[in-house]
């Protein structure tokens, strides 16, 4: 990657090599965040890949680091 890779691209690549979309979705839901993840196969310049689509409701405001850490602590995520 000439200029890096984004989070959705990283997750799509991990899903493409076998990570479970259902487990990722369950982990996010355990944080109390309402999102819907779907994937679609795409092809660009002869390369096939997986594209991750993330649908979520608009949020009112930003989360602080403390808010994010509390979400993670409450979630059902493995180490």
């Amino acid at each position: 990657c000439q200029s890096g890779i984004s989070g959705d691209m990283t997750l799509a690549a991990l899903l493409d090599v076998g990570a479970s979309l259902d487990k990722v979705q369950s982990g996010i839901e355990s944080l109390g965040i309402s999102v819907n993840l779907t994937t679609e196969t795409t092809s660009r310049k002869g390369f096939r890949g997986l594209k991750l689509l993330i649908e979520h409701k608009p949020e009112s405001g930003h989360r602080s680091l403390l808010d994010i850490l509390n979400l993670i602590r409450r979630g059902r995520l493995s180490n």
Side-chain angles (χ1 to χ4, degrees):
C1 294
Q2 198 172 23
S3 60
I5 185 169
S6 63
D8 61 326
M9 292 170 69
T10 302
L11 185 51
L14 292 170
L15 293 168
D16 203 18
V17 296
S20 167
L21 181 60
D22 290 336
K23 286 185 179 181
V24 172
Q25 182 76 55
S26 294
I28 292 171
E29 288 171 0
S30 81
L31 301 174
I33 300 171
S34 178
V35 298
N36 184 42
L37 303 177
T38 56
T39 59
E40 63 183 36
T41 301
T42 187
S43 180
R44 293 198 179 119
K45 298 186 180 187
F47 291 95
R48 188 210 59 83
L50 204 61
K51 181 177 182 177
L52 178 66
L53 305 168
I54 304 169
E55 297 176 57
H56 60 89
K57 295 178 183 177
E59 296 191 31
S60 58
H62 297 281
R63 291 186 175 100
S64 69
L65 177 58
L66 183 58
D67 293 333
I68 294 168
L69 292 173
N70 285 332
L71 282 173
I72 293 169
R73 286 185 192 109
R74 286 193 316 255
R76 296 181 317 268
L77 302 174
S78 65
N79 288 334

